[in-house]
Amino acid sequence: MARQKSKEAPTSGRQTLADAMTKAQMALVKDGGSLRATADVTEFRKKLIYTGLVELDLICRPGFQSRIQVLGDPSVGKSLLCNILTRSAQRTCRQCFTPIIPFINDRTGETKTTCKCGNNDGMVCVWFDFASDFDAHWAASWGVQLGSTNLADYKEVFPGVKMAPNSKFVIVRLENLDQATVVTQHLLSDGAADLVVVDDLMSLASAESMQGKKQPGTKARAVSNLVSAINSSSAACWVKHGTCPTVVFPNQYRNKIGGNVMADPRDAAGGYAAKYLSFQTLHLNTAYSDESGGFKGEKAYGETTIKIKKDKFSGSTGAEAHYRVYLKPMSVNRVQYSTGDTDEGSKLWSFVSEIGEGGLGDKRWFYKDSKGYHVLGRTFQNAKEIKMFLSRPDIGYLLRLPIFALRFTPQMRKHLQRETFDYTPFRDEPILELIDEATKHIGENVVTTRDDPADAEIDGSAGAGHRSEDPGSDLGISFDEPTVEGDEPESVPEE
């Protein structure tokens, strides 16, 4: 029996990938569209917003991007987190993606506030105030740059949209969700906005409900249309300009009707649209306390826990971050507010002491001798000075890459880009040596001593949460002399 010849795969008539993409581009141009294709998967991840909270940046790996849903019960700090994100975005240049913060040279006392490219072009933030509860005084107290806290000074660009005098912050108030869909498409698709806060999805009704046409699912369809418009507009912005805006949805829980009695009875409001189309979902929980540790006095601080329930980018679902918010009363026009700052200095001190003496043993980070506490090339006398120093925005920014390189997995470290973290106008900064070493670790397997940062306590740890207005002016900072081999300082035993 003759053997049957095998059929050969046809080789003629097949297009190359480049030819097919060229024809697709030409077809889209005829319809007024465009196409963007790239083999560089990291290009989409360039625009990141660093919160300034080191633990939150660690679990987000390494910052906020694209669409984030913030869930929680009332008064747990959802709007506060949105204000912190807005503050961080406004302090980030939209051209070079480096922070616009004051850099202090502790040797000379010189201060320079500039980004890497020198344009100081901060990101544009748009706040959809659907709930009509945006408070300019409270937002400004947390560092949001409004230009003017009087909303009467804002210019109405067109009905429903008011622009701040500095043109970097826009407040949008509309009548219904259908109007929000139209405004969102124009703001996001052309790259005009870098951060959009939708506060919140369930505060507005749909146009059909306003006209009296109430049917089951009317509002859910309007929310779905809005979220789909945000998704499409973000994709169009990336196609046209290579950047993708970050959209944050603060949302509250609602009780389910029926269902499994053993499961969580709460669910996010607004149906499944925001749940499915968000890339990251954060759950917030805050416990307030007074300074003495009880719960009956004045709320002096709040312990916030953030748990990631969904993460498409870094796979850190289930990870938790903690930060403390120190609160102090403030009165504006007889209205009482609670404002303050976070404990970023204490959190960074935990990392620094863990990597330094007593942890990994790297004395460039931290060691102690008879002269005092030596931290990152400076000498301090007590913990208050150290934490005030680490609370400075420039120090927190420069420490990001060394900490990320030690804490991230090798796969996640490959996405870190040195040029995003290594800028400082002063090239004699001791932390640059740590950044050089961290750059070598990208792609390598680096193991730390602990999974979670340990709380290291030293003498005189009072005043951890208070930040000085001029962080370098009230610190007795002295720089370490280069250590000669064989002449290392002796550590002082604990009392």
Side-chain angles (χ1 to χ4, degrees):
M1 185 176 179
R3 181 179 297 178
Q4 188 178 1
K5 293 183 179 181
S6 60
K7 294 182 180 180
E8 295 182 0
T11 56
S12 60
R14 298 183 65 180
Q15 288 183 341
T16 63
L17 180 60
D19 292 339
M21 299 301 292
T22 303
K23 290 184 178 180
Q25 175 71 22
M26 294 173 62
L28 288 174
V29 169
K30 292 180 181 179
D31 298 333
S34 59
L35 173 68
R36 184 183 184 92
T38 177
D40 184 10
V41 295
T42 62
E43 182 179 355
F44 182 73
R45 303 170 65 91
K46 284 183 179 178
K47 181 180 287 189
L48 298 175
I49 297 178
Y50 301 97
T51 62
L53 305 172
V54 62
E55 284 199 14
L56 184 56
D57 288 339
L58 275 172
I59 66 172
C60 289
R61 301 181 183 179
F64 276 11
Q65 54 189 323
S66 199
R67 299 184 298 275
I68 301 104
Q69 183 177 205
V70 180
L71 288 173
D73 294 321
S75 300
V76 295
K78 299 185 297 294
S79 297
L80 172 59
L81 181 60
C82 292
N83 281 322
I84 293 176
L85 283 175
T86 303
R87 176 186 67 185
S88 301
Q90 290 179 327
R91 293 179 180 179
T92 304
C93 180
R94 63 188 314 200
Q95 299 182 24
C96 62
F97 304 110
T98 56
I100 312 169
I101 54 178
F103 290 90
I104 302 175
N105 189 335
D106 293 316
R107 297 179 185 273
T108 63
E110 184 182 2
T111 302
K112 291 184 179 180
T113 303
T114 179
C115 64
K116 193 171 187 177
C117 67
N119 294 321
N120 295 341
D121 186 14
M123 291 186 177
V124 177
C125 303
V126 178
W127 193 293
F128 283 88
D129 188 21
F130 293 164
S132 299
D133 60 354
F134 180 81
D135 195 310
H137 296 283
W138 186 69
S141 67
W142 288 101
V144 178
Q145 301 171 13
L146 301 177
S148 173
T149 55
N150 187 7
L151 294 182
D153 297 337
Y154 283 44
K155 284 179 160 184
E156 193 166 14
V157 183
F158 55 88
V161 177
K162 293 184 177 181
M163 184 173 289
N166 62 359
S167 300
K168 291 290 186 180
F169 186 83
V170 181
I171 297 176
V172 181
R173 287 175 176 170
L174 301 172
E175 297 178 0
N176 53 63
L177 287 172
D178 299 86
Q179 292 179 355
T181 303
V182 177
V183 175
T184 299
Q185 292 174 343
H186 291 283
L187 285 175
L188 297 184
S189 60
D190 294 328
D194 300 290
L195 174 68
V196 176
V197 179
V198 183
D199 187 19
D200 61 80
L201 284 175
M202 297 307 297
S203 297
L204 288 184
S206 62
E208 294 183 7
S209 299
M210 297 291 291
Q211 297 171 3
K213 302 176 183 179
K214 295 184 178 180
Q215 296 179 358
T218 300
K219 191 168 187 178
R221 284 194 301 270
V223 172
S224 179
N225 292 336
L226 174 60
V227 175
S228 299
I230 291 175
N231 184 27
S232 301
S233 303
S234 300
C237 181
W238 185 75
V239 168
K240 296 176 183 177
H241 309 286
T243 60
C244 185
T246 299
V247 184
V248 184
F249 305 90
N251 202 355
Q252 291 189 5
Y253 282 114
R254 298 290 187 269
N255 288 333
K256 297 179 184 177
I257 299 177
N260 187 1
V261 295
M262 302 300 294
D264 189 353
R266 305 175 303 170
D267 197 5
Y272 291 103
K275 178 180 179 180
Y276 289 151
L277 288 177
S278 61
F279 282 4
Q280 292 174 321
T281 300
L282 309 180
H283 169 71
L284 270 67
N285 187 22
T286 301
Y288 295 99
S289 177
D290 64 351
E291 293 181 349
S292 63
F295 287 86
K296 296 182 179 180
E298 184 182 354
K299 296 178 181 178
Y301 64 88
E303 294 281 357
T304 301
T305 301
I306 298 181
K307 183 176 182 179
I308 293 188
K309 289 195 168 185
K310 174 185 177 183
D311 190 354
K312 288 185 177 180
F313 276 128
S314 57
S316 58
T317 303
E320 290 187 3
H322 306 270
Y323 63 89
R324 175 178 289 187
V325 179
Y326 291 94
L327 303 174
K328 57 183 179 180
M330 181 185 72
S331 177
V332 178
N333 297 331
R334 298 182 180 179
V335 179
Q336 297 293 328
Y337 297 92
S338 291
T339 183
D341 211 339
T342 60
D343 63 336
E344 187 65 6
S346 300
K347 293 295 181 183
L348 284 175
W349 168 238
S350 299
F351 285 98
V352 168
S353 58
E354 176 193 3
I355 300 171
E357 188 180 53
L360 293 178
D362 193 340
K363 293 187 176 181
R364 293 171 300 178
W365 289 77
F366 162 69
Y367 71 92
K368 182 174 64 172
D369 63 6
S370 58
K371 297 180 180 179
Y373 302 97
H374 304 269
V375 179
L376 302 172
R378 285 90 164 171
T379 302
F380 304 92
Q381 299 303 318
N382 53 56
K384 181 178 180 180
E385 293 180 355
I386 296 175
K387 293 175 182 178
M388 289 173 61
F389 164 71
L390 293 175
S391 297
R392 283 169 32 183
D394 56 337
I395 301 301
Y397 159 69
L398 291 172
L399 287 178
R400 283 299 190 266
L401 184 61
I403 292 176
F404 290 166
L406 288 170
R407 283 315 193 101
F408 283 178
T409 61
Q411 265 192 328
M412 292 305 303
R413 283 199 297 268
K414 293 178 181 178
H415 298 288
L416 297 175
Q417 299 176 356
R418 177 195 168 112
E419 59 270 15
T420 311
F421 300 92
D422 68 343
Y423 171 71
T424 174
F426 309 110
R427 305 316 297 176
D428 58 348
E429 172 59 51
I431 302 179
L432 290 177
E433 181 183 353
L434 303 178
I435 294 177
D436 292 336
E437 183 178 352
T439 306
K440 301 176 184 177
H441 291 332
I442 295 177
E444 299 177 2
N445 188 14
V446 181
V447 182
T448 58
T449 54
R450 305 179 181 92
D451 293 330
D452 295 318
D455 294 329
E457 297 181 2
I458 56 178
D459 298 337
S461 58
H466 302 284
R467 180 180 298 180
S468 172
E469 295 182 0
D470 186 3
S473 61
D474 53 352
L475 298 183
I477 298 178
S478 60
F479 284 83
D480 299 340
E481 296 295 333
T483 303
V484 182
E485 187 174 356
D487 190 22
E488 297 182 355
E490 298 179 358
S491 59
V492 178
E494 296 288 342
E495 295 182 0

